[in-house]
Amino acid sequence: MAHTVAAQDIATADAAAHDWWRSSVIYQIYPRSFADSSGTGVGDLRGITARLESLADLGVDAIWLSPFYRSPQKDAGYDVSDFRDVDPLFGTLDDFDAMVARAHELGLRVIADIVPNHSSDQHPWFQAALAAGPGSKERERYIFRDGKGEHGELPPNNWESVFGGPMWTRVTEPDGTPGQWYLHIFDTSQPDFDWELEEVREEFDGVLRFWLDRGVDGFRVDVAHGLIKADGLPDFVQDDEEASMGGGAATQSPYWAQDRVHEIWRRWRKVTDEYEGQRILAAEAWVYPLEFMANWVRPDEMHQTFNFGYMETHWDAADLRAVIDDSITTFGAVGAPSTWVLSNHDMIRHATRLALGKDTPQGHGVGPASPGLPDVEEGIRRARAASLFMLSLPGGAYLYQGEELGLPEAIDIPDEARQDPTWHRTEGERYGRDGCRVPLPWEADAPAYGFSPTGDAWLPQPAVYGTLARDAQSGVEGSTLEMYRAALRLRREHRIGVGSGDVAWEDSPEGVLIHRVGDIRVIANVSGAPVPVEGDVLVTSHALEDGALPADATVWVRVRG
Ligand code: GLC
């Protein structure tokens, strides 16, 4: 296959460089909202292929695609019914191969999203488990238990699903009677596998190889702190103040971050290491503190882990500096680079989040009735400053589609249009994640802003997306898109991000962060007084005012001498 050759070319080029993933910028594509070639209102693989050039032009190193596998789409594809096929909504395996080939041709690596904690309830294994009844081999692949109470009418324990409501659902047995319960950390449609079973482990070795053989350069591993549950499934109540996905070393939950999950990652690392070209594993592990998170990137485990500590840090100079230093020391202690990330498909977009109060837990979202909604302009301004600063840090960075346009969260989505199971399972108490998943605007004057040829979009796009469309920003000096493009070009030219060394901080007034990378000085004015700027401005998130950098702005300058 043509793409295999291209993948080897990339590998050869790398041999002379350093491990590519240590400083790469990986762009997250959320397939249903990226580009729709067929006019269904849902994005697809051909749409992605057709638009890949714009990502190469932006200057990223790789793309990560959220799930495109066969799925009933109860949790936007994170409910997989066939781990080895593409959902017809997104295209075919041939479309996938063509997409990978095109990406490699453009020098972009491709990371797939793998979802090992659970399957869809429509997965043949789960259907077989329902049909086979209690005590069967088929049920062992999932977590079925008898209920409590006289007639088994109560769930086996008190665990609550991340999306709200109980973590257990009762089934009707093949003979029509109410029967056992099955465990689902997420939606009812997402039963958890039992990872104690060797058969489940072997199945996933096969799934990894299936996609590695097709040329993927690695995997983002969904819920990499899940999978293993504590023996006996003891009762536990998650602290409401914590993100519902959070597992802490201190508040050890029986379903997050069990020590034995690491056996699985060591096993996966052996599989990816069998392949040429540095295929990587990146963990979605919402665990704290960072010392605990670093366990996921020990030398024989994963390559990267999303730095949610950084992502959840508010726009505050002292807090930012603390989390950056902590990240570099902590990940460095196990030989791993830090990653930096500000947005993804589960978080309020940072163009909105950074102008909100500190207390909006991950996954809860914002909507029209949320208190203290931020000013759109202020949010975008802070987001630009935060992104430009992030791209100067040593380590790998992740971008989420649309942040290069400065897109804010879509807040005014009508109730009836909302799709996230979080919204439905909490009966509207939490808005959930739809607001960050709205289809991208490509062209200001086209139907659905160029997202689909018919003008359909699976979630309504806010009017502000028109003014922020890619074509309205391309080539426009000072636009968010051009700022990202310039930063990514400079990052390559100056090898910024390379190495997991310390940040070379320079003295700075309160509310300001200053550091030096080679002959570039990076100044982030988070909330301080205007900072006089010396040297040639290479890129800035906001025009200087009388030779000074105002608050909520970042600049990179070349220092003379
Ligand atoms: C991860 C995904 C999220 C999904 C959940 C269940 O957190 O990022 O979107 O809902 O896992 O698979």
Side-chain angles (χ1 to χ4, degrees):
M1 279 182 284
H3 61 255
T4 317
V5 175
Q8 279 163 358
D9 287 345
I10 295 174
T12 316
D14 269 340
H18 79 146
D19 300 339
W20 70 271
W21 45 273
R22 287 185 174 270
S23 59
S24 56
V25 177
I26 303 183
Y27 181 100
Q28 180 186 359
I29 291 181
Y30 195 63
R32 31 173 59 237
S33 302
F34 188 72
D36 170 16
S37 72
S38 60
T40 55
V42 177
D44 47 43
L45 293 175
R46 286 179 181 214
I48 295 172
T49 307
R51 298 281 192 185
L52 280 177
E53 219 174 305
S54 62
L55 300 184
D57 173 62
L58 176 64
V60 299
D61 303 300
I63 52 173
W64 145 36
L65 274 79
S66 281
F68 45 78
Y69 314 109
R70 238 175 225 279
S71 157
Q73 304 293 325
K74 292 283 167 50
D75 183 23
Y78 282 93
D79 49 318
V80 182
S81 57
D82 184 347
F83 290 92
R84 292 181 178 80
D85 202 3
V86 170
D87 196 277
L89 197 59
F90 300 121
T92 63
L93 279 171
D94 285 346
D95 293 336
F96 177 81
D97 292 341
M99 191 271 302
V100 174
R102 180 69 183 134
H104 285 169
E105 211 172 85
L106 290 165
L108 297 170
R109 289 185 167 79
V110 179
I111 310 295
D113 202 320
I114 190 162
V115 190
N117 181 70
H118 45 266
S119 71
S120 157
D121 60 357
Q122 298 308 307
H123 190 286
W125 275 11
F126 192 74
Q127 289 298 311
L130 289 181
S136 60
K137 281 257 164 251
E138 286 83 351
R139 286 219 171 162
E140 285 177 14
R141 295 164 173 157
Y142 294 91
I143 304 178
F144 280 88
R145 294 288 183 276
D146 294 332
K148 286 186 175 161
E150 203 182 332
H151 306 288
E153 70 281 10
L154 300 172
N157 70 21
N158 68 348
W159 297 357
E160 284 215 5
S161 145
V162 167
F163 294 158
M167 214 188 263
W168 296 91
T169 293
R170 192 171 197 189
V171 303
T172 303
E173 299 299 354
D175 66 4
T177 58
Q180 287 193 301
W181 298 70
Y182 66 89
L183 181 89
H184 50 89
I185 288 190
F186 297 93
D187 189 46
T188 0
S189 63
Q190 295 166 294
D192 282 41
F193 285 117
D194 189 344
W195 273 87
E196 304 295 342
L197 202 68
E198 175 62 18
E199 188 188 6
V200 170
R201 298 184 183 210
E202 278 169 15
E203 173 65 10
F204 271 90
D205 293 346
V207 172
L208 291 174
R209 290 202 170 89
F210 179 86
W211 295 104
L212 289 165
D213 288 340
R214 291 196 106 85
V216 304
D217 299 286
F219 300 94
R220 174 264 188 188
V221 183
D222 191 64
V223 199
H225 58 317
L227 282 74
I228 299 285
K229 280 83 187 168
D231 285 343
L233 313 180
D235 277 352
F236 177 76
V237 180
Q238 179 92 36
D239 182 346
D240 234 19
E241 296 300 305
E242 274 181 24
S244 46
M245 284 283 276
T251 54
Q252 181 68 65
S253 112
Y255 44 87
W256 295 135
Q258 299 299 301
D259 201 35
R260 283 184 309 113
V261 79
H262 296 286
E263 287 164 14
I264 300 168
W265 309 137
R266 288 187 198 108
R267 176 175 177 140
W268 282 29
R269 178 63 179 259
K270 288 197 182 112
V271 175
T272 54
D273 278 354
E274 286 167 16
Y275 287 78
E276 288 187 349
Q278 297 193 26
R279 317 290 177 103
I280 66 160
L281 297 168
E284 185 211 23
W286 291 89
V287 297
Y288 296 111
L290 293 180
E291 283 72 20
F292 196 42
M293 194 185 270
N295 288 342
W296 272 252
V297 284
R298 288 178 288 198
D300 56 349
E301 299 196 33
M302 301 207 187
H303 300 76
Q304 294 186 326
T305 186
F306 288 90
N307 188 341
F308 295 120
Y310 181 72
M311 192 180 197
E312 295 194 292
T313 299
H314 200 68
W315 188 232
D316 177 289
D319 290 355
L320 283 167
R321 181 163 171 167
V323 74
I324 291 166
D325 286 341
D326 187 16
S327 305
I328 289 170
T329 315
T330 307
F331 294 121
V334 290
S338 184
T339 58
W340 311 104
V341 57
L342 288 165
S343 278
N344 68 21
H345 66 293
D346 293 325
M347 289 288 280
I348 297 170
R349 281 186 174 278
H350 68 282
T352 297
R353 197 183 69 242
L354 294 179
L356 278 172
K358 296 194 182 189
D359 47 0
T360 312
Q362 176 271 328
H364 289 206
V366 279
S370 300
L373 287 175
D375 176 68
V376 174
E377 288 308 316
E378 182 186 39
I380 294 178
R381 179 171 165 159
R382 284 191 179 172
R384 287 166 54 114
S387 299
L388 189 56
F389 184 68
M390 174 181 89
L391 289 172
S392 73
L393 296 173
Y398 277 84
L399 306 181
Y400 176 52
Q401 67 177 36
E403 69 168 80
E404 76 281 20
L405 305 175
L407 297 187
E409 185 85 353
I411 291 174
D412 289 314
I413 299 175
D415 290 358
E416 59 284 4
R418 292 197 179 267
Q419 315 245 350
D420 186 353
T422 310
W423 164 258
H424 298 286
R425 285 183 64 88
T426 62
E427 291 169 356
E429 196 188 305
R430 298 185 209 156
Y431 284 105
R433 304 158 296 174
D434 291 322
C436 63
R437 298 175 172 183
V438 169
L440 287 190
W442 294 89
E443 295 152 40
D445 295 323
Y449 304 125
F451 166 68
S452 75
T454 51
D456 285 348
W458 70 281
L459 283 172
Q461 299 160 295
V464 68
Y465 278 30
T467 58
L468 296 171
R470 186 168 303 250
D471 70 342
Q473 298 196 39
S474 190
V476 176
E477 210 190 311
S479 68
T480 306
L481 180 63
E482 291 304 331
M483 183 197 81
Y484 269 81
R485 204 179 264 159
L488 291 170
R489 182 176 43 76
L490 288 163
R491 201 176 141 97
R492 258 173 214 246
E493 285 171 10
H494 293 263
R495 294 177 62 77
I496 293 172
V498 171
S500 44
D502 289 345
V503 173
W505 296 112
E506 297 191 340
D507 288 344
S508 58
E510 204 179 325
V512 178
L513 297 170
I514 304 180
H515 79 100
R516 181 96 181 242
V517 200
D519 60 354
I520 295 181
R521 176 171 289 137
V522 176
I523 309 170
N525 189 347
V526 179
S527 58
V531 187
V533 174
E534 285 168 26
D536 304 326
V537 172
L538 296 172
V539 57
T540 187
S541 74
H542 195 277
L544 300 193
E545 292 167 7
D546 299 327
L549 185 72
D552 289 337
T554 297
V555 68
W556 296 10
V557 289
R558 190 194 300 275
V559 186
R560 297 184 208 107

